[in-house]
């Protein structure tokens, strides 16, 4: 037995209390220390946690940042996001391949540097971007590639890549990152600044029911994308029976083009923490979890520091805001690269140390959630809004925004606009107003709500951004006249194919079929009936899939088919003789010509 | 009035679907009243003599010859029906699709444990059609108008389908004739 593996596993399992539900921390730790989770490590983990090896293997094989085979000491993960590709990620990838002498997916012969693609890492406004281990590198160019490779070869130390620091708290010792916040517009709710503890002290003077009533009166809707009324969720959870309850913050923003939570976590984590503690007070929970996406690992020390400071100030822990019995504490659960974990039940599975496969719903997490106890899962921004509502009052909040979408919304703006970044704007503005603000007047399309949202055409630019019209979790990708929307849709489908958890057939298989048929059309081999096929298939996948991923994954194709049909019809061909343009007889005979050693003969009758 | 013409063929199939056609039993007399058979293994006519209303295709495309015949059917028939699972999906022959063709041929003619082949070559006579890299369902090679599932489709399903086509009526098959679970 390899002593080192055994030691590392024993150390890490002991640190997590030999608790099976903390498997994620163990496998992440093993990956970080040993460069992979080998079969031997899996055996050891299973032994220490008292579970079967297959459970460990199930977890390791599920997450993109975990691997059974050793990866390079430094792994360069280039963001494969549509926006990063608009900004030249493909050229950067090629440059890395050349500089390292390896292909994507390989590791240099000395085992030092690995090269991979990864799904959107939330740096679309400063792309092309990549992660080198947990260090984000932004504004990549072919010139920067050789600098990065040289530095990594010389030092083997990703942290040394950080030469200039971003603004605000990105420059602190604990974050120490080149990432910039790019906050273009500060609104009244999130970025207005709040005296620490103001919301908690206010909440402590209210009853839990009053807190819930306040959030309900403010008509706060969840900021993650679905827009479910937060107060109602809290009330359901408060009423649900359970010996313990939990509050989970979904900081797994993985929708391509979304990065607003990153800025909240960087600049105002205290607001989030107050919001979570208030939610705990309202529903009767004393424990919270921040589920932080693996891509944001560089923010973990900063978040832990913020929590420690809140503890010192009496705003976290026991007797919050001086109120006896108001107790709340938070732990951070790191993810490991899985978009589907942004779905609340998959996120809970992941927090319990399982594969991030969504659960059947109902029962909903408010009744049967984390450790089968009633659990509220809300987006980062939702908790922040809740804290401000308690502080400033429901009336103040409800005045902002539109009738059914109150308050301000953070937008992550990227793509073909002159001012990409984060904007805090009231709900209800039109797409035209939005484009004017972000410098995207030439836009031919806007992807509202990321790939699982809607792609809107210029005729729809007078539509309003709010849940009663065009809902969004904040991702806004602007497409200029030079872009091919079909290429973008195809890249979005690649993303969903990659991120499908594989549990249900419509999503696992259907998305692949949608992508294949779309690519047929892109290659100029599609026919009119392929559009009918795509429409039917999109509907089937949406209707039959088990969770939100499959229920929305056909949207890039379905909404462009609806709003940009001419982009498809332009590329169609008509087969007058009834032959399929996709069938290439010469290619199909290629293997036989080699194996049978003669050219085909075409007999005439 | 001249009777409409019908043609049929078996590509990479087992002739089971044609056996199922014969299972219509005495209705074959009615069929002869309704239609005239052009190119078909049933009457052994090798070449199309005229344009046909309906072409029934059994089997998928595994070799160059299958593609040629299928394309002929497409150009001679108004309506093409994929009959049975091989035509519709590739069927049993498509089990080789997961294995590269070269490995299949090597196993069959060069390296297999029971192979005795002094030439040391894969058969390559010009009379033997070249094999395609994989078995294709018919609709990937030409446009197919209708698919009739089953292995084979029951005689009643084939009969109902053909009669509906000839009368230009919608086909309403009972569930029992379409379920395969």
């Amino acid at each position: 037995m390899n002593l080192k593996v055994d030691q590392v596993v024993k150390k890490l399992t002991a640190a997590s209390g030999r608790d099976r539900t903390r498997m994620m921390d163990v496998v992440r730790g093993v990956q970080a220390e040993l460069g992979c989770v080998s079969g031997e490590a899996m055996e050891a983990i299973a032994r220490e946690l008292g579970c079967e090896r297959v459970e460990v293997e199930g977890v390791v094989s599920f997450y993109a940042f975990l691997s059974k085979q050793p990866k390079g000491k430094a792994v360069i993960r280039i963001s494969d996001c549509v926006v990063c590709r608009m900004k030249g990620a493909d050229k950067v990838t090629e440059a890395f391949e050349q500089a390292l002498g390896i292909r994507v997916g390989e590791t240099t012969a000395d085992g030092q540097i690995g090269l991979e693609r990864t799904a959107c890492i939330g740096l679309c406004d400063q792309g092309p971007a990549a992660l080198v281990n947990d260090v984000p590198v932004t504004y990549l160019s072919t010139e920067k590639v050789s600098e990065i490779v040289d530095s990594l070869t010389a030092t083997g130390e990703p942290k040394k890549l950080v030469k200039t620091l971003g603004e605000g708290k990105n420059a602190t010792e604990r974050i120490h990152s080149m990432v910039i916040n790019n906050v273009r517009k500060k609104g009244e709710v999130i970025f207005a600044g709040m005296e620490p503890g103001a919301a908690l002290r206010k909440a402590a003077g209210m009853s839990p029911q009053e807190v819930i009533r306040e959030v309900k009166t403010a008509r706060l809707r969840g900021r993650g994308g679905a827009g479910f009324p937060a107060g109602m969720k809290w009330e359901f959870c408060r009423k649900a029976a359970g010996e313990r309850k939990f509050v989970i913050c979904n900081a797994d923003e993985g929708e391509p083009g979304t990065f607003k939570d990153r800025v909240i976590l960087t600049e105002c984590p205290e607001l989030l923490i107050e919001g979570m503690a208030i939610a705990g007070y309202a529903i009767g929970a004393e424990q919270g979890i921040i589920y932080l996406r693996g891509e944001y690992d560089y923010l973990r020390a900063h978040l832990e520091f913020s929590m420690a400071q809140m503890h010192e100030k009496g705003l976290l822990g026991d007797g919050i805001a001086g109120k006896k019995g108001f107790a709340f504490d938070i732990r951070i659960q790191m993810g490991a690269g899985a978009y589907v974990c942004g779905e609340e039940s998959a996120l809970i599975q992941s927090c319990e140390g399982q594969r991030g496969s969504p659960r059947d719903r109902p029962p909903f997490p408010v009744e049967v959630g984390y450790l089968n106890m009633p659990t509220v899962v809300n987006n980062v921004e939702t908790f922040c809004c809740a804290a401000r509502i308690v502080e400033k009052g429901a009336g103040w909040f409800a005045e902002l925004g539109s009738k059914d979408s109150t308050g301000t919304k953070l937008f992550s703006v990227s793509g073909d606009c002159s001012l990409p970044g984060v904007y805090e704007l009231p709900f209800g503005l039109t797409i035209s107003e939005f484009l004017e603000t972000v410098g995207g007047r030439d836009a031919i399309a806007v992807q509202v709500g990321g790939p699982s949202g809607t792609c809107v055409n210029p005729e729809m630019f007078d539509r309003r951004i709010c849940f009663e019209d065009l809902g969004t979790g904040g991702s806004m990708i602007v497409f200029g006249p030079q872009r091919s929307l079909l290429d973008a849709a195809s890249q979005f489908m690649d993303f969903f194919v990659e991120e499908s958890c594989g549990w249900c057939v419509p999503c696992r298989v259907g998305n692949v079929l949608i992508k294949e048929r779309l690519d047929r059309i892109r290659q100029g081999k599609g026919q009119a009936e392929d559009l009918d096929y795509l429409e039917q298939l999109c509907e089937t996948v949406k209707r039959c899939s088990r969770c939100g991923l499959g229920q929305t994954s056909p949207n890039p194709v379905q909404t462009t088919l609806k709003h940009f049909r001419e982009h498809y019809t332009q590329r169609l061909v008509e087969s007058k003789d009834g032959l399929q343009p996709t069938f290439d007889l010469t290619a199909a005979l290629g293997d036989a010509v080699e194996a049978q050693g003669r050219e085909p003969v075409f007999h005439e009758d | 009035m001249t009777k409409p013409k019908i043609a049929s063929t078996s590509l990479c199939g087992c002739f089971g679907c044609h056996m199922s056609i014969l299972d219509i039993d005495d209705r074959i007399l009615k069929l002869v009243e309704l239609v005239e058979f052009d190119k078909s293994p049933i009457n052994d006519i090798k070449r199309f003599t005229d344009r046909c209303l309906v072409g029934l295709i059994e089997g998928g495309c595994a070799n160059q010859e299958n593609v040629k015949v299928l394309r002929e059917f497409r150009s001679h028939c108004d309506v093409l029906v994929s009959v049975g699972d091989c035509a519709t999906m590739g069927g049993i022959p498509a089990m080789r699709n997961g294995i590269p063709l070269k490995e299949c041929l090597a196993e069959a003619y060069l390296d297999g444990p029971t192979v005795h082949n002094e030439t040391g070559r894969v058969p390559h006579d010009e009379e033997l059609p070249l094999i395609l890299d994989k078995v294709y369902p018919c609709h990937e090679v030409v446009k197919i108008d209708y698919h009739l599932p089953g292995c084979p489709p029951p005689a009643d399903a084939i009969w109902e389908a053909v009669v509906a086509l000839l009368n230009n009526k919608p086909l309403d098959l009972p569930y029992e004739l379409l379920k395969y679970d």
Side-chain angles (χ1 to χ4, degrees):
Chain A
M1 187 191 293
N2 187 331
L3 272 176
K4 189 171 177 215
V5 170
D6 208 45
Q7 268 173 2
V8 169
V9 169
K10 279 206 167 117
K11 181 185 78 183
L12 290 165
T13 46
S16 63
R18 294 175 57 127
D19 181 350
R20 164 69 183 84
T21 66
R22 303 299 287 274
M23 169 101 73
M24 283 294 280
D25 298 345
V26 177
V27 288
R28 276 184 55 93
V30 171
Q31 178 81 35
E33 290 205 26
L34 303 173
C36 67
V37 188
S38 62
E40 202 181 349
M42 290 180 197
E43 298 275 1
I45 294 169
R47 202 168 48 238
E48 292 300 316
L49 295 182
C51 64
E52 298 298 330
R53 175 189 150 142
V54 69
E55 296 176 52
V56 188
E57 187 138 18
V59 169
V60 171
S61 63
F62 188 85
Y63 297 92
F65 292 178
L66 303 173
S67 61
K68 196 172 170 182
Q69 309 303 334
K71 296 260 166 101
K73 282 212 171 113
V75 181
I76 302 168
R77 293 190 169 90
I78 304 165
S79 177
D80 197 24
C81 168
V82 163
V83 186
C84 278
R85 290 178 73 173
M86 280 185 193
K87 304 293 174 191
D90 291 339
K91 282 216 170 90
V92 168
T93 309
E94 267 173 45
F96 269 120
E97 287 184 330
Q98 271 189 352
L100 293 166
I102 53 172
R103 311 278 299 168
V104 169
E106 295 175 353
T107 305
T108 52
D110 59 5
Q112 291 299 307
I113 305 177
L115 184 63
E116 291 183 4
R117 284 200 189 93
T118 193
C120 179
I121 57 175
L123 294 164
C124 320
D125 58 334
Q126 42 208 297
L131 289 173
V132 184
N133 292 354
D134 54 357
V135 178
V137 285
T138 57
Y139 292 115
L140 291 173
S141 60
T142 45
E143 297 85 58
K144 276 197 190 165
V145 164
S146 47
E147 281 173 40
I148 290 170
V149 171
D150 289 348
S151 168
L152 282 178
T153 315
T155 68
E157 189 49 71
K159 292 222 163 22
K160 295 235 163 83
L161 297 172
V162 183
K163 298 208 173 83
T164 53
L165 294 174
E167 86 283 35
K169 291 184 184 161
N170 290 301
T172 59
E173 193 191 325
R174 280 167 298 276
I175 300 184
H176 191 78
S177 170
M178 69 175 79
V179 171
I180 57 171
N181 294 329
N182 246 339
V183 178
R184 303 276 184 180
K185 175 90 175 66
K186 292 185 178 183
E188 296 91 329
V189 180
I190 307 291
F191 291 132
M194 184 180 83
E195 187 202 330
L200 279 171
R201 281 189 290 273
K202 190 91 179 283
M206 300 159 76
S207 72
Q209 287 85 350
E210 280 169 345
V211 170
I212 291 177
R213 196 179 313 139
E214 199 70 10
V215 175
K216 282 177 83 174
T217 310
R219 301 197 302 280
L220 171 64
R221 299 177 71 149
R223 263 43 181 169
F228 189 81
M232 203 189 282
K233 195 185 261 188
W234 292 13
E235 188 165 52
F236 287 151
C237 192
R238 175 162 188 86
K239 287 185 177 158
E243 44 189 277
R244 281 189 296 165
K245 292 178 184 176
F246 295 96
V247 173
I248 297 183
C249 168
N250 184 345
D252 191 48
E253 58 173 354
E255 186 76 32
T258 314
F259 44 84
K260 45 114 190 156
D261 291 343
R262 186 195 75 226
V263 179
I264 295 182
L265 295 167
T266 305
E267 290 305 320
C268 38
E270 298 81 6
L271 187 58
L272 161 66
I273 293 164
E274 287 201 29
M276 288 180 70
I278 288 168
Y281 180 70
I283 66 166
E286 297 193 344
Q287 270 181 291
I289 299 173
I290 296 177
Y291 186 89
L292 184 64
R293 68 185 303 215
E295 291 81 350
Y296 292 171
D297 196 45
Y298 76 103
L299 293 172
R300 179 161 47 152
H302 169 64
L303 290 174
E304 277 165 353
F305 175 77
S306 305
M307 290 196 286
Q309 275 195 320
M310 303 267 292
H311 263 283
E312 274 178 31
K313 290 182 191 160
L315 299 173
L316 211 52
D318 288 329
I320 292 174
K323 178 161 180 153
K324 204 165 164 251
F326 185 175
F328 193 75
D329 220 333
I330 298 174
R331 77 171 171 94
I332 294 175
Q333 175 65 61
M334 291 305 302
Y339 166 72
V340 73
C341 288
E343 197 279 344
E344 59 177 3
S345 66
L347 185 150
I348 288 169
Q349 288 283 101
S350 187
C351 285
E352 292 178 358
Q354 313 275 2
R355 289 166 71 85
S357 301
R359 297 176 177 172
D360 286 333
R361 303 187 320 164
F364 289 95
V366 285
E367 287 180 333
V368 184
Y370 180 59
L371 305 179
N372 293 330
M373 294 296 160
T375 305
V376 155
V377 184
N378 275 136
N379 179 261
V380 174
E381 191 185 343
T382 314
F383 285 119
C384 294
C385 291
R388 296 284 284 163
I389 288 166
V390 169
E391 188 216 0
K392 304 263 284 184
W396 164 79
F397 188 84
E399 290 274 297
L400 302 164
S402 70
K403 184 167 168 287
D404 290 328
S405 312
T406 52
T408 61
K409 178 79 191 83
L410 293 194
F411 295 101
S412 317
V413 182
S414 62
D416 298 314
C417 58
S418 56
L419 299 166
V422 175
Y423 292 75
E424 182 179 354
L425 300 165
F427 266 120
L429 79 165
T430 64
I431 301 280
S432 301
E433 289 162 353
F434 164 80
L435 286 171
E436 192 73 24
T437 312
V438 305
R441 246 175 273 175
D442 294 344
I444 57 158
V446 182
Q447 188 77 35
V448 180
S452 63
T454 311
C455 191
V456 300
N457 66 29
E459 281 165 31
M460 305 165 76
F461 283 0
D462 56 350
R463 299 271 300 267
R464 294 160 72 223
I465 308 168
C466 52
F467 289 108
E468 49 270 48
D469 195 355
L470 293 167
T472 174
S475 171
M476 302 290 279
I477 303 172
V478 182
F479 292 100
Q482 72 275 33
R483 304 297 172 195
S484 157
L485 295 180
L486 266 54
D487 289 359
S490 173
Q491 289 167 20
F492 285 144
M493 290 316 296
D494 279 334
F495 168 78
F496 287 123
V497 166
E498 184 62 34
E499 296 297 330
S500 167
C501 83
W503 184 295
C504 65
V505 177
C507 176
R508 184 181 68 235
V509 177
N511 285 317
V512 175
L513 295 178
I514 292 174
K515 154 92 179 144
E516 277 178 6
R517 198 57 66 107
L518 171 64
D519 285 348
R520 183 185 287 189
I521 295 166
R522 286 173 60 226
Q523 289 157 10
K525 292 177 178 170
Q527 301 177 66
E529 54 261 38
D530 289 326
L531 301 188
D532 303 335
Y533 171 91
L534 272 177
E535 271 167 351
Q536 282 176 19
L537 184 58
C538 287
E539 201 47 46
T540 304
V541 172
K542 290 179 82 159
R543 192 188 283 236
C544 304
S545 288
R546 189 159 162 265
C547 81
L549 193 153
Q551 286 159 12
T552 55
S553 60
N555 281 354
V557 174
Q558 203 180 35
T559 65
T560 47
L561 257 176
K562 197 165 163 206
H563 304 143
F564 296 92
R565 202 170 182 88
E566 68 284 2
H567 289 235
Y568 288 83
T569 48
Q570 278 162 8
R571 303 206 194 188
L572 297 180
V573 288
E574 199 187 341
S575 166
K576 291 205 174 62
D577 47 12
L579 306 187
Q580 294 290 9
T582 41
F583 181 71
D584 179 348
L585 181 59
T586 313
L589 287 172
D591 288 353
V593 169
E594 254 179 74
Q596 293 176 266
R598 69 168 175 84
E599 289 301 314
V601 182
F602 295 94
H603 294 284
E604 291 297 325
D605 280 330
Chain B
M1 204 180 89
T2 55
K3 285 189 277 188
K5 293 201 165 150
I6 192 167
S8 76
T9 186
S10 178
L11 306 174
C12 189
C14 68
F15 269 94
C17 294
H18 274 83
M19 292 300 125
S20 198
I21 294 176
L22 295 181
D23 276 346
I24 60 174
D25 298 334
D26 56 336
R27 280 172 291 185
I28 201 157
L29 299 174
K30 269 194 202 158
L31 186 64
V32 172
E33 278 174 25
L34 281 171
V35 297
E36 189 179 321
F37 269 85
D38 203 276
K39 175 179 163 79
S40 169
I42 290 176
N43 53 16
D44 215 19
I45 295 179
K46 305 284 192 210
R47 294 199 177 134
F48 278 101
T49 61
D50 201 355
R51 184 144 193 94
C52 294
L53 180 68
V54 180
L56 303 175
I57 312 290
E58 170 187 346
C61 288
N63 65 34
Q64 195 190 342
E65 163 81 6
N66 298 151
V67 174
K68 181 169 176 268
V69 172
L70 182 58
R71 285 176 170 175
E72 269 174 26
F73 265 73
R74 182 69 273 178
S75 62
H76 284 89
C77 304
D78 295 347
V79 175
L80 278 192
V81 186
S82 272
V83 179
D85 289 348
C86 296
T88 309
M89 299 184 289
I92 299 284
M95 283 173 72
R96 79 163 161 95
N97 284 4
I99 305 162
L101 176 65
K102 281 182 212 165
E103 282 177 35
C104 286
L105 291 175
E107 177 75 14
Y109 295 109
L110 306 174
D111 309 329
T114 59
V115 171
H116 176 75
N117 176 1
E118 285 175 350
T119 68
R121 283 193 66 178
V122 174
H124 53 90
D125 192 289
E126 281 193 8
E127 289 299 316
L128 300 171
L130 290 183
I131 312 283
L132 303 182
D133 57 346
K134 60 172 190 164
V135 178
Y136 292 81
C138 293
H139 65 269
E140 288 188 10
V141 177
V142 302
K143 185 173 181 291
I144 296 289
D145 302 288
Y146 298 100
H147 296 86
L148 199 55
C151 185
D156 288 345
I158 298 174
W159 169 256
E160 294 295 334
V162 170
V163 169
L165 272 175
L166 293 173
N167 292 322
N168 204 18
K169 292 260 169 62
L171 174 61
D172 185 19
L173 285 181
Y175 179 65
E176 291 69 38
L177 289 183
L178 282 169
K179 75 173 167 80
Y180 295 98
D181 50 359

